[in-house]
């Protein structure tokens, strides 16, 4: 029984070391990071510009989605540039925040009790996603 436990522990350690080595082997250079950062900013500007043709709540939702996409992309870029558990958690947090911000904008189109329920649901989903991010 103990030999099996040791074998599983060694296998888990080997897998963890493989991922660690693989993440360091894929580390990007500063120039690659800057180019990717510039691409993210250009995509954000293009996404935001697409929102200009919209009005009211649809425009607000579109802008929130564009901003959220940018924040998530930047967090993912940082995690790729300097891989760590903390960076991975920041990606999950950015995704949770982006989803929450967009959900709140979508709730703004509602009124009365429907809006209240929508906001409470959005908040509950955000709290759960942030808890999951902290466990990662």
């Amino acid at each position: 029984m103990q030999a099996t436990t040791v074998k599983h522990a060694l296998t888990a350690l080997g897998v963890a070391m493989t991922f660690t080595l693989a993440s360091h082997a894929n580390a990007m250079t500063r120039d690659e990071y800057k180019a990717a950062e510039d691409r993210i900013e250009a995509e954000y500007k293009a996404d935001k510009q697409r929102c200009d043709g919209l009005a009211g709540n649809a425009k607000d939702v579109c802008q929130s989605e564009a901003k959220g996409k940018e924040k998530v992309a930047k967090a993912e870029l940082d995690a790729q540039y300097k891989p760590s558990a903390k960076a991975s958690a920041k990606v999950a947090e950015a995704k949770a925040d982006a989803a929450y911000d967009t959900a709140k904008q979508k709730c703004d189109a509602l009124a009365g009790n429907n809006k209240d329920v929508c906001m409470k649901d959005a908040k509950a989903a955000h709290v759960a996603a942030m808890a999951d991010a902290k466990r990662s």
Side-chain angles (χ1 to χ4, degrees):
M1 187 76 171
Q2 287 181 339
T4 304
T5 304
V6 171
K7 184 177 177 182
H8 287 292
L10 290 175
T11 301
L13 180 62
V15 169
M17 289 178 63
T18 300
F19 283 121
T20 301
L21 293 174
S23 67
H24 289 295
N26 292 332
M28 53 180 20
T29 66
R30 179 71 184 141
D31 289 339
E32 290 170 329
Y33 177 85
K34 183 63 177 145
E37 192 175 47
D38 291 344
R39 179 189 49 77
I40 291 168
E41 288 180 24
E43 285 179 16
Y44 169 67
K45 287 178 184 176
D47 288 345
K48 193 172 175 193
Q49 194 171 34
R50 278 190 281 267
C51 298
D52 290 342
L54 302 172
N57 185 259
K59 183 175 184 174
D60 294 342
V61 169
C62 181
Q63 289 175 336
S64 177
E65 288 172 340
K67 190 66 178 169
K69 181 180 168 185
E70 178 196 32
K71 286 181 179 181
V72 170
K74 285 183 176 183
E76 289 173 339
L77 177 62
D78 289 344
Q80 187 178 1
Y81 185 56
K82 294 183 180 178
S84 69
K86 186 176 181 178
S88 295
K90 288 206 180 269
V91 170
E93 289 172 9
K95 287 179 180 181
D97 287 342
Y100 180 53
D101 291 342
T102 299
K104 288 190 303 185
Q105 289 300 325
K106 289 179 180 179
C107 292
D108 279 346
L110 304 173
N113 188 52
N114 289 338
K115 183 176 181 175
D116 293 342
V117 169
C118 182
M119 292 296 279
K120 286 179 185 176
D121 289 346
K123 180 67 175 172
H126 182 250
V127 168
M130 292 300 280
D132 286 345
K134 290 183 188 331
R135 280 184 257 161
S136 299

